[in-house]
Amino acid sequence: MADAPDGQGRLVGIDAIRAAARTLDGVALRTPLVALGDPRDRHYLKAESLQPIGAFKIRGAYNALAALSPEARAAGVVTHSSGNHAQGVARAARLLGIRAVIVMPSDAPAVKRVRVEADGAEIVTVGTPSGEREAMADRLAAERGLTLIPPYDDDRVIAGQGTVGLEIVEDLPDVAAVLVPIGGGGLASGVAVAVRALAPGARVIGVEPELAADAQASLAAGHIVRWDGGLTSRTIADGTRTQSIGRRNFAHLSALLDRIVTVSEEEIAAAVRISAEEARLVVEPSGALTVAALRFHASELGLGEADGPVVAVVSGGNVDPDRYRDLLAAPIPPPR
């Protein structure tokens, strides 16, 4: 494992990701690479929207819960999430026979709440800022003796999410660039570890909404920058409304990420439509971030000149039907 910056310990290594892949065998789907646009461009979408819970989060959640001691399993777990990690923990807990409590914001998509309840988890609702749900989860852990399963700031979660990158390189060894969305930073951290280890010549590019670009601000400042919840809640990409990336995620992204690009709300909405029309995938706004970057920022990122294929990680496809119908009618702006 490589050293993290600023004395933050060792980074997750490829061996931990390979171990997570073994743990996830038969639980998480090995998702396909789906072609996007002109085949000559060699642009692909890593379709995590096809996971059993509709998002990549089952990988990190199950890997973290599977590592718990018998005593911790018996006591139960708690987490906080706007939706996809909530579903990941709820499903993993049901599969492993563990009681789960999920703290969710009041504006979480209804489809995500329904699916969390269907897996038998208890939902506790708080306000929209991510800080509120973090505080409530900490409180419940202390009061009920539950084990906190962080949505991203945890090495077990990072290793589980890193299996996405492991699969990309195994399926496409000559990959030239991987675009990965950033919310709290767990997926981007794990993917960056795997790609750097197995395809060191490939670039790893993070993608955030312009309205919730705290990770970009953090890497530019050299320390974690926390955004106000009123700002991050403006984006339609609800999975990226975290107010700051995690400490462990900052360490990984600082060391391993090539750059971060931001996309507009108009571009995110158009990318949901593009994913449906060109790749036949149902993609939620958070999952469409990388599609937006690939379609509207390719020139800026030098992707048209990439000496090999480009993969955009589509993180999830859990979107309310009424909202999805509106997004399918979104105008498609010209590339910047």
Side-chain angles (χ1 to χ4, degrees):
M1 293 191 292
D3 287 320
D6 301 323
Q8 296 184 68
R10 305 282 279 175
L11 299 182
V12 170
I14 190 63
D15 288 344
I17 293 175
R18 287 193 170 114
R22 293 190 291 271
T23 297
L24 292 167
D25 186 28
V27 175
L29 177 69
R30 187 184 183 97
T31 52
L33 295 174
V34 179
L36 180 74
D38 189 332
R40 293 172 296 182
D41 292 334
R42 301 184 72 193
H43 290 170
Y44 301 94
L45 306 184
K46 177 65 169 169
E48 286 296 291
S49 53
L50 300 178
Q51 286 294 347
I53 64 162
F56 74 98
K57 289 285 192 174
I58 186 63
R59 297 174 183 265
Y62 190 91
N63 193 53
L65 266 67
L68 294 177
S69 68
E71 294 77 17
R73 292 190 186 198
V77 299
V78 63
T79 194
H80 52 89
S81 167
S82 65
N84 284 335
H85 179 67
Q87 291 184 83
V89 171
R91 178 61 57 84
R94 181 173 68 79
L95 293 174
L96 293 166
I98 299 172
R99 179 169 61 98
V101 180
I102 316 292
V103 182
M104 300 184 72
S106 57
D107 63 347
V111 66
K112 297 182 180 182
R113 292 180 60 90
V114 168
R115 291 173 183 171
V116 168
E117 291 173 337
D119 272 321
E122 174 190 347
I123 295 178
V124 176
T125 303
V126 295
T128 57
S130 63
E132 287 192 30
R133 55 184 184 263
E134 292 169 12
M136 177 58 76
D138 288 339
R139 174 183 163 187
L140 291 172
E143 290 178 352
R144 302 190 190 181
L146 305 171
T147 297
L148 179 65
I149 305 297
Y152 44 84
D153 197 5
D154 182 281
D155 284 3
R156 300 162 300 179
V157 171
I158 290 171
Q161 319 304 29
T163 59
V164 172
L166 177 68
E167 291 174 10
I168 289 172
V169 180
E170 287 179 346
D171 292 346
L172 206 60
D174 61 337
V175 63
V178 177
L179 281 66
V180 59
I182 300 178
L187 176 62
S189 296
V191 168
V193 169
V195 174
R196 283 279 174 265
L198 302 175
R203 289 187 294 151
V204 184
I205 300 168
V207 188
E208 280 188 304
E210 291 177 354
L211 298 185
D214 58 279
Q216 185 184 64
S218 297
L219 295 192
H223 58 82
I224 295 175
V225 174
R226 188 173 183 85
W227 279 35
D228 181 84
L231 295 179
T232 59
S233 63
R234 297 172 298 166
T235 180
I236 61 173
D238 62 277
T240 65
R241 290 174 182 164
T242 50
Q243 292 174 249
S244 68
I245 56 175
R247 183 184 65 87
R248 293 295 291 154
N249 312 113
F250 177 77
H252 284 75
L253 299 183
S254 296
L256 302 173
L257 206 64
D258 285 290
R259 64 172 293 180
I260 295 178
V261 63
T262 61
V263 293
S264 70
E265 298 298 290
E266 180 185 33
E267 291 167 343
I268 297 169
V272 172
R273 174 180 168 183
I274 291 167
S275 300
E277 293 180 348
E278 298 187 18
R280 296 152 301 281
L281 291 175
V282 175
V283 176
E284 64 185 272
S286 300
L289 292 176
T290 56
V291 181
L294 186 58
R295 180 53 55 91
F296 302 113
H297 297 262
S299 179
E300 170 192 344
L301 296 171
L303 297 179
E305 303 169 2
D307 186 23
V310 177
V311 175
V313 178
V314 170
S315 57
N318 294 313
V319 56
D320 288 333
D322 289 344
R323 180 61 176 146
Y324 187 61
R325 280 190 287 269
D326 291 340
L327 291 167
L328 290 180
I332 298 179
R336 294 189 184 183

